[in-house]
Amino acid sequence: MSDSTTAPVSPVVLEAWFDLQCPDCFRALDDVRALREKYGDRLDVQLRHFPLAKHKHAYAAAQAAEEAVEQGKGWPYAEALLARTAELGERGEPVLMEVATELGLDAEEFDTALIDGRHLLTVDADEAEGKAIKVTGTPTYVIDGERLDGGQSQDGLRERVEAIADRLLGA
């Protein structure tokens, strides 16, 4: 997802490879929020899509998140959707539309985007890039070329990201 949490030019980029139906990614939001709070606009957190095959609605969720980016609410949409991973798993695409409506997004345009597949290439490109850099699970972070895999355990991930960011920022 091309939407980021800060201004377009930031000294340090943190890519967060997420599956928007992944409960572990929802838990990882606490770390993302803490990193945003600590570093502010010195850290550009970019959400990247890596929908896992085991989550049958994750691919559509990634497309929906891209439409939210187009409508100016990429991160708020992703966060709201991650808060409803179980519901998304049970009810599917209607949840995508409900979240869009709750955030005041154009639901008709959302529906059209999911039907016409206008964001397929973006999601496919993220997924292909993730595979190329050996992302295997979510959440996975990439900072300064280092891949930090949170798919098995998130223990210590935030501290590792902070250590790299501090080094890069000269903190």
Side-chain angles (χ1 to χ4, degrees):
M1 178 164 85
S2 58
D3 188 28
S4 64
T5 60
T6 63
V9 180
S10 292
V12 177
V13 173
L14 173 66
E15 294 179 342
W17 294 84
F18 278 19
D19 167 323
L20 295 178
Q21 193 181 337
C22 171
D24 289 334
C25 291
F26 172 64
R27 285 188 289 281
L29 281 178
D30 287 339
D31 287 340
V32 170
R33 288 181 187 117
L35 290 165
R36 283 188 207 149
E37 185 174 317
K38 179 175 181 176
Y39 295 103
D41 63 2
R42 298 178 303 149
L43 184 70
D44 182 11
V45 182
Q46 298 179 352
L47 183 60
R48 302 295 302 272
H49 300 293
F50 200 77
L52 301 171
K54 68 182 179 180
H55 296 136
K56 70 179 186 174
H57 303 293
Y59 191 77
Q63 293 175 68
E66 284 300 317
E67 181 57 30
V69 170
E70 291 293 315
Q71 295 189 32
K73 292 192 178 176
W75 268 105
Y77 184 85
E79 290 189 24
L81 193 56
L82 282 166
R84 295 169 70 171
T85 55
E87 188 179 355
L88 178 60
E90 293 166 11
R91 296 185 42 236
E93 290 191 21
V95 175
L96 303 176
M97 300 303 298
E98 288 167 13
V99 171
T101 301
E102 289 165 10
L103 291 174
L105 299 172
D106 183 337
E108 187 175 317
E109 194 62 29
F110 241 80
D111 191 42
T112 301
L114 290 173
I115 292 168
D116 70 19
R118 68 182 72 160
H119 302 295
L120 289 172
L121 292 177
T122 301
V123 175
D124 288 347
D126 271 7
E127 189 174 24
E129 185 179 339
K131 287 178 182 176
I133 64 170
K134 304 203 181 330
V135 171
T136 58
T138 58
T140 294
Y141 302 97
V142 176
I143 182 169
D144 194 36
E146 186 172 343
R147 181 176 45 82
L148 307 171
D149 186 356
Q152 298 299 319
S153 172
Q154 295 178 56
D155 291 341
L157 269 184
R158 184 169 81 200
E159 292 79 10
R160 289 171 61 200
V161 169
E162 287 176 346
I164 295 168
D166 287 347
R167 177 177 48 83
L168 294 171
L169 293 168

